[in-house]
Amino acid sequence: MFDNILTILIFFPALAAMLGFVVDKGSIRSYGVSVAAVEFILSLVLWYMYDPNVVGMQFMESVPLIPSFGISYLLGIDAISLFIIILATFFTMIGIASLGETKNIKNMIVTLLFLEMTMVGVFSALDAIVFYVFWELSLVPMLYLIGAWGGPKRIYASIKFFLYTFTGSLIMLVGMLFMAYYYNQATGTWSFSILEWYRLVLPENMQLWLFAAFFMGFAIKVPMFPFHTWLPYAHGQAPTIGSVILAAILLKMGTYAFVRFSLPMFPDASVFFMIPIAVIAIIMIIYTAMVAYAQEDIKQVVAYSSVSHMGVIILGTFALNVEGISGSVFLMIAHGVVSGALFFLVGVIYDRRHTKLMSEFGGLAQVMPRYATIFGIIMMASVGLPLTINFVGEFLSLLGFYKQSHILTLLAGTAIIVGAIYMLTAYKKAFFGEVTKEENKNLPDVNRRELVALIPLVIITVWLGVYPKPVLGPINNSVEAIVSLMHEKAVTQDAKDRIPNPMVAKISTQNGGTH
Amino acid sequence: MEFYLYLALFSPLVGSLIAGLFGASKKTLFTGLITSALIFTSFVSSFMLLLHILGDGEPVHVEMMTWIATGNLYIPFGFIVDQVSVVMMMVVSLVSTVVHVYSIGYMDHDKSFNRFFSYLSAFVFSMMVLVMSDNFLGLFIGWEGVGLCSWLLIGFWYHKESATWAANEAFIMNRIADLAMLIGIFLVYWNTGSLQYHIAFPAFATLDSSTLLMIGIFLFIGAMGKSAQFPLHTWLADAMEGPTPVSALIHAATMVTAGVYLVVRANPLYDLIPDVGYFIASLGAFVAMFAASMALVNRDMKRIIAYSTLSQLGYMFVAAGLGAYWVALFHLMAHAFFKALLFLGAGNVMHAMDDELDPFKMGGLKKSMKWTWIMMTLASVALAGIWPLAGFFSKDLILEAAFVEHHYVLYTILLVTAFMTAFYSFRLVSLIFHGKERHKEYGFHPHEAYKFVLIAMSPLAILAVVAGFLFKGSYIEMVTTLLPATEYHLHSETTFWIMNIGTQLAVGFSIAFAYMKYENAKIDKKVESGFLYKLLINQYYIPYFYEEYLTKPYRELSSVAWKHVDLKVVDATVDMIANIFYETGEKTHVMQDGNLSTMLRWMVAGTALLLVLAVAFTVGYSVLVG
């Protein structure tokens, strides 16, 4: 059965979702939780079976779909995809388990399970077309989540979300088709396999155009400045669970795709665009942090903070060395955990008061001490305190980029300042001071259902902050493979210099260390 | 010895977690006792380690486990107890033990008693990590950890707006410095290939001077934040919003000296860049005087002591900057004892006076609070540097070091500051304890603190008296195995005596003057309306400047970024593009209204357009090519 574990992981939730339609309404919740739990355990089995010492893809499956065009159902994972898949199954599980009173709960659970299929699909696809199919399919359940369970402006928000990201994806699709065409020109055969594409050395000019096409799709998904404005609307209108999944997993598709496609396929273009992209990342970090600081609605603070942190991920990715990319992949996980947790936390207070305006709160630390504590821990993780999960990723990302540019890293490093400013201010507004509003005086503290989601997230936040090795180790090996591929493939001398060969670097410092 | 190392490090954490479990519940004396006991355990273990270091001098070095490893980066949770860290451990664990026991009395009536002890012990743990780590990032864990605990404890009474504001200010201002610190760490890594002291320090000697300069400057900016050096100093005075034991432990004895510790620890680096060292010393001298001047006029008991702390930190940086690392560390230790004592005494006074902070409303308290009076006087004498108390030995050494190294300007500044120190210290003592009992007008009923609180304070009182002459010899012998062993002796015996006696007399005179002037707590209206007084009482208008020219613009700019840029430019552009498509569709669909004659007309128009375009292209092409 383990030969097809990826296929099972992808289609088990979809099948279960279809069966879900006939499940009795009273037991749909436990049905959903059990399916998601089985899926999560399966993903843990995947982790258990994954061999971190093997370079390259594991659990590969290949079934030809359209042989004449080289399109096949090609799956496989390395450590970079592995942990995001686990993150996706984990969030689906705790998301369903902590669902509150929801209308049409059956449809909601079915939607979430379909969404799970697309997420696992995106992160395990190694064929560009299969990747694209899952990438686009993921829009549908999310569109439905926002449009059916969202706030008053849900239709505007969901259509904006859909059309905006869809536009970007279409440009990406053109890039993919051209890439396949070029592959055909160069080798005489058709292939959409990413692994085959890796082997192709493209002239620099070609790389630049293709990089730009892929970039549009990825950048809107991340979302990178100035393509980020769909996100505040989507988060503003989405139900809690929608925001959680969106922030924790869906945004990672963009950053993951940079690591999976852009870097190894276009190493020279990556070097060429490194500085402009770093500048965008810095704008994301500082500018959206300022916008976050100006917000009155706590969910918007979290939404913009999420964009700000994505800036650091992008920066780490384009550090183009092992330290930076490992850090950025780790930060993807960290950002998923922390911003997912923050959206859960915002949901807790929204469920109680049906408002997200910070001016409506104040003094919550007195009324809801447990809630305030958990929020405090997650906030400190978001601010990047050492021994929390975020610090490891943020530190490594910035450390990595420092090798490329001192000044830009100094600017990007302001993330730790501006992040503290908006977060602490928001926390102060909501939790400190006297309880002024009558409605807030008797708010119940977090209940058991909410703790089901929050406690594991807090544990992960601290555990991977103190001991990141189980995750960082495998990621490091996969990233080393990518970086050495990039170094080998690079056409220009500049790129060869900018992208260090991890193997050589290792040997030289070992020698340096002993002297 | 490893056992003692782990015990010293982790028992505060255990205490913090235990107290944290009861954090939200009602006061239980148990949490106070167990945390104090565990901190005491940590103290005893530190003492055992000290004996070990004094014995054979072999540092204890452990690597517990890997923390971060990727690429070539390898950072373990590694801890080292050597001559420098053991001094810090002793200071931290001793003062913490005292403060913990003291707090059982001080926080007696507070409903968040348990939470307080949880934070306080967490602080001790972070501080231990800071001083014991064997690499820069481990130090950074402690560095941020103490920052977090400081935030939690300054804002401990979170219902007070001023407290939470001060907490955030402290955290954010420290973060600014932390960025520089991180940059320094990046530089160390990319230039030496490691962040572990035992690899990085020897490698410094091989680097070129401009890189070293950068590393030195960035790390020092990091130190400036924690140690509240100008211009990042404003948070320290505001941090006095926290409970007084916190001020004693964190904002006087331990955390704020972390910057000094960093410079002392990185002495192989700063030895190579004496220019940066000189800058550090100059800034330190400036801060010493600058802070002392603000302490001269302030009317808030705790703020006066806070400025005094700031000033003394300046002294330490002068020593560290001039390469007299062991002197800096010695003053750090002595200062921790008497300054913590001073704060704890102030806490007793506050309790007696229902949290009143203005010493002008006190007076004559020596009758009702005899022991507090004695201890605060002792601490002030030690602070003023009168022989044979601790401050004399440590502070005089700094003056001598400056003199011997021929930095006469620095020496003069420090000397004048020493007089100022004596003056403001005894202004405070005189206002609080001597003269008429002015507090009666305000209806206070002062009472002495609990007996166990006074007993808890007594070790500090004893150390403030004896730490100087008792420990100096063995201390020097111990730390100079690790730190550069420069002796600072004046060549001429006569100069030595003239300097020392002169200083002592002048300081004595300052003290007497302060006593006389403030015994009756007369407020000199003429002085108060003067420009200088206004400047000092407003802290040189620096907080005002920060608020007006940094905080406000940032707030306004943020608001503009959101309301005008993000919504009206970035998002509006997206919507506009979408609208263009939408409107075009709306407008053009009338063309296809199903009316055959209209559609034929459009067809003709379209064909004509295409023909024109074809002709234009052909002609244009031939013109261009031909």
Side-chain angles (χ1 to χ4, degrees), chain A residues 61-125:
Chain A
E61 293 173 40
S62 178
V63 178
L65 290 179
I66 310 174
S68 51
F69 280 102
I71 300 173
S72 57
Y73 172 76
L74 183 65
L75 305 178
I77 55 160
D78 60 4
I80 300 169
S81 19
L82 170 70
F83 292 109
I84 308 185
I85 290 175
I86 295 174
L87 193 71
T89 58
F90 175 69
F91 263 100
T92 313
M93 180 179 73
I94 60 171
I96 295 177
S98 69
L99 272 184
E101 284 304 308
T102 320
K103 58 173 181 154
N104 294 333
I105 188 159
K106 188 192 263 187
N107 295 358
M108 166 87 85
I109 288 175
V110 167
T111 314
L112 286 171
L113 290 176
F114 268 116
L115 187 57
E116 185 169 28
M117 169 196 81
T118 63
M119 294 188 296
V120 178
V122 164
F123 295 116
S124 48

Side-chain angles (χ1 to χ4, degrees), chain B residues 154-169:
Chain B
I154 297 171
F156 183 74
W157 289 311
Y158 53 76
H159 50 86
K160 274 163 74 184
E161 163 68 23
S162 54
T164 52
W165 186 87
N168 282 2
E169 184 201 16

